[in-house]
Amino acid sequence: MSGNHQTLALLLFSAFVAVTLGITTWVSRNRHGSAEEFYAGGRLFSPMENGFAISGDYMSAASFLGVTGLISLYGYDGLLYVVGFLVAWLVVLFLVAELVRNCGRFTLADVVAARMNERPVRIAAGTSSVTVSVLYLVAQMVGAGSLVALLLGGSSEAARNWTVIGVGALMVIYVSLGGMRATTWIQIVKAVLLLSGSIALTVLVLVRFHGDVNELLRAAAERSGHGDAFLAPGLKYGGDWTARFDFISLGLALVLGTAGLPHILSRFYTVPTARAARRSVVWSIGLLGGFYLMTIVLGFGAAAIVGPETVRGANAAGNTAVPLLALDLGGGANSAGGTVLFAVVAAIAFATILAVVAGITLASSASVAHDLYASMRRRHAKPRSEVAVARTAAVGIGVVAIALGLLARDLNVAFLVGLAFAVAASANLPVLLYSLFWRSFTTRGAVWAVYGGLVPALLLVLLSPVVTGSPDSLFPSVDFQFFPLQNPGLVSIPLGFLAGWLGTVTSAEPPDEAKHAETEVRSLTGAGAV
């Protein structure tokens, strides 16, 4: 890319960083250091504000760049990712949002520990939440390193490494100084920027085709080289039965995993009531629905205007589809309009990574401090000391994420995101649903549900073609592949639910039906909610 692209993109990105650092500084001067302030922003956000923040938390670079690229390369089969990401929010709306807000304080473990032996449950849920968060975090860090090579022209290893270190340092500053309040406002700003940029690009694509969506689809199919097959199922997942089961596995992970993502669950505690939590989800569904509809237009627009061969030539995974589309819509590589539009997309992509990384870091540091640390020293830990641990944990998690991001800088990030969703659906969702709805659920069942989903999910990925046994593996020269699917969700999610059931029915501990009744009343009415 030309020097003009790089300079303008750097200026716009620097402006976003300056604004967000200003927000963080302002918030850090006006906070009083309580656990409620650090973890939940004082529970002062309105449903609309929280809805924008949830959207900002969920619309990661994988959605903005990855999904659009998949649609541009695989047509209908890429579109199925959009369905999975969006349908997941119906599960969140009907089964999770209001009940979690009523039953918990800051983390997933709060909901489960309300009716169980607290210490083993908190350790298990905290371990799972940190694992999911780190997997998600590493994917974003690796994405940041890849994006700098693409968007700012820094193809050298040093440029990519310094980008990962810079993003990690910024996320530590955002979280340790500003807590949830600063993170929320950063996510709101990012959501507005991303939606505005997507609207502008979508309008330009539709104008190019005179508002005729049929013409857009026909042009995309012709340019793809696959003809009508581009608009029909099967281009990516229509091969053998392994590919079909892989898609089912990925779909299960996407649809069920969102309800178990720690950084999404923590957002429900930032509003004052359960009704506000439910309205937040309604806002986020509207915003995310609009965004994913636009990614469909942008994906087919990239296929029709840029062409899959050009997209694949710049990046085999299709992650360059949106920047290349912006360049073309603005007037081409050497035009002022193309330069401006490309730079705006570059800045938005980096803003997206920073906001998502901040939210995940906050959720994982909360799990370390509020669940793991507090369970070890629950009788002695004071709220302020717990917050100090959370800030220290944010620094530690940042260092780990930077190190893993540097080690994994050349790896495909898609499997990390899919794995994070699969682990969340396998370990977090079973224990959450059982705790809310099963009267006979016990402490052993809760611990088994978490580890019974977490351990198989991680083991199956290690034994899958993602890691070894194929040319596209992380270690192609080694082969200990025994599991044929790339995503473990199809096996590990049922195992998580089965382990929770088995642990409960074999437990000598009698279920505390009084606590279940109390939890049920609290979850449905909000009586006694924090």
Side-chain angles (χ1 to χ4, degrees), residues 270-295:
T270 63
V271 290
T273 64
R275 182 170 181 266
R278 187 174 64 249
R279 289 174 61 199
S280 298
V281 176
V282 173
W283 268 100
S284 64
I285 288 174
L287 294 169
L288 290 167
F291 170 73
Y292 283 120
L293 284 174
M294 288 187 285
T295 62

Side-chain angles (χ1 to χ4, degrees), residues 51-140:
F52 270 90
I54 290 172
S55 302
D57 224 348
Y58 195 69
M59 294 184 295
S60 66
S63 296
F64 185 49
L65 300 175
V67 172
T68 308
L70 285 167
I71 294 172
S72 71
L73 296 179
Y74 301 107
Y76 182 93
D77 277 14
L79 180 74
L80 295 172
Y81 277 77
V82 173
V83 177
F85 280 131
L86 192 55
V87 169
W89 283 94
L90 297 178
V91 179
V92 175
L93 177 62
F94 291 118
L95 292 180
V96 174
E98 188 173 357
L99 306 182
V100 165
R101 175 62 188 84
N102 280 335
C103 290
R105 289 186 68 212
F106 305 125
T107 65
L108 163 70
D110 289 335
V111 180
V112 184
R115 49 177 294 216
M116 307 292 173
N117 185 358
E118 194 168 343
R119 187 172 183 180
V121 168
R122 283 198 180 276
I123 292 173
T127 302
S128 173
S129 295
V130 171
T131 303
V132 173
S133 297
V134 169
L135 289 170
Y136 216 115
L137 201 55
V138 171
Q140 300 298 319

Side-chain angles (χ1 to χ4, degrees), residues 255-278:
V255 170
L256 299 178
T258 300
L261 291 175
H263 63 291
I264 297 297
L265 293 174
S266 65
R267 292 240 51 93
F268 300 135
Y269 300 122
T270 63
V271 290
T273 64
R275 182 170 181 266
R278 187 174 64 249

Side-chain angles (χ1 to χ4, degrees), residues 35 45-46 147 167 204 285 311 388 429:
F45 291 99
S46 70
L147 274 171
V167 170
L204 289 173
I285 288 174
V311 171
L429 187 64

Side-chain angles (χ1 to χ4, degrees), residues 112-113 115-122 124-125 427 430-431 434-435 438 440-453 495-512:
V112 184
R115 49 177 294 216
M116 307 292 173
N117 185 358
E118 194 168 343
R119 187 172 183 180
V121 168
R122 283 198 180 276
V431 73
Y434 278 150
S435 297
W438 191 11
S440 301
F441 198 42
T442 64
T443 300
R444 177 191 278 185
V447 173
W448 282 27
V450 173
Y451 293 127
L495 282 177
F497 281 97
L498 178 63
W501 172 81
L502 190 61
T504 298
V505 298
T506 60
S507 174
E509 169 196 357
D512 193 332

Side-chain angles (χ1 to χ4, degrees), residues 8 11 14 19 34 40 65 103 204 272 283 304 313 355 371 380 427:
L8 192 53
L11 287 174
S14 299
V19 170
S34 68
L65 300 175
C103 290
L204 289 173
W283 268 100
D371 297 331
H380 308 288

Side-chain angles (χ1 to χ4, degrees), residues 124-197:
T127 302
S128 173
S129 295
V130 171
T131 303
V132 173
S133 297
V134 169
L135 289 170
Y136 216 115
L137 201 55
V138 171
Q140 300 298 319
M141 302 294 282
V142 173
S146 301
L147 274 171
V148 75
L150 165 67
L151 301 175
L152 303 182
S155 56
S156 68
E157 283 192 13
R160 298 176 71 176
N161 292 347
W162 280 110
T163 302
V164 171
I165 293 169
V167 170
L170 283 170
M171 80 182 185
V172 169
I173 293 170
Y174 292 150
V175 173
S176 59
L177 292 183
M180 178 59 85
R181 191 170 296 190
T183 301
T184 300
W185 282 111
I186 291 166
Q187 287 162 346
I188 291 172
V189 172
K190 168 262 175 129
V192 172
L193 285 174
L194 185 56
L195 288 168
S196 301

